[in-house]
Amino acid sequence: MVLQAIQYEPASVKSPPALRILDQLQLPHRTEYVTVGNCEEAHAAIKQMKVRGAPAIAIVAALALAVEVGKEIAAAKSLGRPEDAKENIGYRLDYLKTSRPTAVNLSDAISKLKIVTKKATLEPEASADSVARAYIVAAERMLVDDVSDNKAIGEHGARWIEDNTVAGKKRKADGSQQLQVLTHCNTGSLATAGYGTALGVIRSLRSANMLTRAYCSETRPYNQGSRLTAYELVHDEIPATLITDSMACALMSKEGDRLAAVVVGADRVAANGDTANKIGTHSLAVLARHHGVKFLVAAPRTTIDRDTASGRDIIIEERAPEEVTRVKGPKVTTDGRLVLDEGSEVVSTAAIGIDVWNPAFDVTPAELIDGVITEVGVVEKLAGKFDFGSVFQD
Ligand code: MRU
């Protein structure tokens, strides 16, 4: 069974489009899909992190509006003039953009979708209906393109690791050599339309029979590593080990050259290569540099924000203190069984009254990044600087 965080049914003669997402607040213990029927529901699902991960956020937002627009078409609701349809779609896209601030993929998708609707209004036979339909086609395209982009990212990343790391070169010469990779947060099928970015690289390494073990860090406070990445690795039967975030240094000291690389995703890569990603990414990059382990960012070009000069200009989302002071999960009996039918319990783990700072992301300076793996190839620094111009030439 292929893991699918986003289930989308295009319109048929009988019904308008429909969107369901895997509720990631329930994972790993409950597999529950929830319907996203309009923009308000998408906004709430993104804010509450029922769906998360930069590409998935953008796709769910775009498709939720496709569902809303599709229902209006099916109900033969008057959409007014082509200009009105464009304005109306633009207004709802701007609202969706306010759900979470750090990942650029959503604003990138919105700008592209606005161009589509603008162009549609300029067609000779334009009508409000044709503008709405052009929007739906473009939003649906994003879902399809994301999976193929991720597969390409996976292949480029795996090849780079084989050619540029000590473990990769040794493994190529002698298939019995160990090659391990550490990843952070969740960047897999649950964070994208499918396959994943950094986790896509791990999947590709595994398919090429190069990977002996993946390590995933717990990713406090929201535990995307232990809940979601671990779930995907177990699902795909990839040999994998979970560590807490504070164990990364010990892992690097212990494994030495066998740990080929740290591969992470990104929420926004600035023009100079500074990269915003899940909190804890920067510390992994510092540790990797200290231990001589390659540090790679895997991200589609939609995550590269050439309008943001450096990491200093990236807005970092801060989330509720309770994500740090409480944990949620099913009860475990004294003999180790999960009590799933009673739902989740929330447990307090911090002193009442303590102040909390909970930034969801940090910024890793370009200096610490060895390469940015995109769907069209791996960008490395030239004379110490990233230049992403070459990957935007098509
Ligand atoms: O807060 P989240 O879970 O949305 O954060 C996700 C990350 O930081 C991912 O690494 C990033 O979005 C890339 S997902 C392909």
Side-chain angles (χ1 to χ4, degrees):
M1 189 193 70
V2 174
L3 267 182
Q4 238 189 347
I6 304 168
Q7 289 186 342
Y8 178 77
E9 282 289 326
S12 67
V13 271
K14 286 202 190 122
S15 47
L19 174 64
R20 294 186 336 141
I21 56 165
L22 182 54
D23 181 355
Q24 298 188 28
L25 297 176
Q26 310 298 330
L27 288 174
H29 302 302
R30 274 182 122 79
T31 308
E32 205 173 281
Y33 282 86
V34 289
T35 299
V36 178
N38 55 44
C39 294
E40 282 72 27
E41 285 173 10
H43 192 282
I46 293 168
K47 216 175 165 63
Q48 294 160 11
M49 291 171 73
K50 284 185 181 165
V51 60
R52 25 68 47 207
I57 290 171
I59 293 164
V60 166
L63 289 177
L65 181 51
V67 167
E68 209 170 279
V69 170
K71 282 181 189 162
E72 290 163 2
I73 294 174
K77 187 174 160 187
S78 166
L79 302 172
R81 296 170 304 139
E83 273 294 316
D84 297 332
K86 183 197 84 175
E87 293 299 320
N88 211 307
I89 287 170
Y91 174 77
R92 287 180 275 179
L93 286 172
D94 288 339
Y95 161 68
L96 285 161
K97 194 170 164 178
T98 62
S99 52
R100 287 187 80 192
T102 303
V104 71
N105 306 54
L106 177 54
S107 5
D108 178 77
I110 289 172
S111 311
K112 287 174 180 155
L113 290 165
K114 282 187 176 175
I115 292 171
V116 167
T117 52
K118 186 170 180 191
K119 278 193 182 152
T121 59
L122 302 175
E123 290 292 322
E125 301 289 310
S127 65
D129 191 80
S130 67
V131 172
R133 286 180 197 278
Y135 173 83
I136 294 175
V137 169
E140 289 175 351
R141 187 80 236 155
M142 287 181 172
L143 181 69
V144 177
D145 287 349
D146 191 53
V147 180
S148 50
D149 286 351
N150 292 339
K151 290 200 168 148
I153 287 172
E155 278 161 29
H156 287 299
R159 205 168 316 128
W160 194 94
I161 288 171
E162 182 176 44
D163 293 341
N164 295 281
T165 66
V166 176
K169 288 178 199 161
K170 281 188 181 168
R171 178 103 184 151
K172 198 172 186 174
D174 172 1
S176 68
Q177 291 288 334
Q178 294 275 311
L179 189 155
Q180 307 171 352
V181 164
L182 167 65
T183 191
H184 187 57
C185 194
N186 173 265
T187 59
S189 298
L190 298 170
T192 62
Y195 202 70
T197 57
L199 200 41
V201 174
I202 289 176
R203 287 193 161 103
S204 291
L205 283 168
R206 184 66 184 160
S207 317
N209 199 23
M210 278 194 259
L211 186 81
T212 46
R213 181 156 295 270
Y215 288 91
C216 62
S217 52
E218 185 186 26
T219 318
R220 281 279 296 148
Y222 202 73
N223 294 339
Q224 287 93 333
S226 55
R227 293 191 304 112
L228 310 176
T229 301
Y231 176 81
E232 292 202 38
L233 291 165
V234 170
H235 176 276
D236 280 20
E237 298 181 3
I238 296 175
T241 301
L242 172 67
I243 59 168
T244 69
D245 301 350
S246 52
M247 292 168 189
C249 187
L251 177 77
M252 291 183 200
S253 314
K254 175 174 159 288
E255 292 303 325
D257 281 352
R258 290 186 293 260
L259 189 70
V262 178
V263 190
V264 298
D267 286 83
R268 192 182 293 250
V269 180
N272 71 345
D274 290 352
T275 295
N277 190 49
K278 181 50 54 193
I279 191 75
T281 303
H282 185 180
S283 10
L284 289 177
V286 172
L287 289 175
R289 179 58 54 90
H290 179 78
H291 290 89
V293 175
K294 297 289 183 194
F295 188 88
L296 299 166
V297 170
R301 288 176 294 172
T302 49
T303 310
I304 300 173
D305 179 7
R306 290 186 296 165
D307 295 332
T308 294
S310 78
R312 274 195 302 277
D313 308 307
I314 300 176
I315 297 169
I316 299 293
E317 174 187 9
E318 294 193 10
R319 294 189 61 86
E322 290 75 20
E323 286 181 2
V324 175
T325 59
R326 296 174 186 172
V327 288
K328 194 180 110 190
K331 224 169 25 192
V332 183
T333 61
T334 44
D335 58 349
R337 274 181 306 108
L338 294 183
V339 185
L340 293 175
D341 49 4
E342 288 178 18
S344 284
E345 303 234 318
V346 178
V347 178
S348 167
T349 57
I352 303 298
I354 189 70
D355 285 343
V356 172
W357 180 48
N358 182 16
F361 304 97
D362 59 23
V363 175
T364 301
E367 189 208 332
L368 297 174
I369 299 170
D370 292 298
V372 177
I373 311 164
T374 74
E375 65 275 32
V376 292
V378 180
V379 183
E380 292 179 63
K381 282 175 282 197
L382 284 174
K385 286 194 185 334
F386 280 111
D387 177 357
F388 296 107
S390 64
V391 296
F392 286 100
Q393 266 163 11
D394 57 357

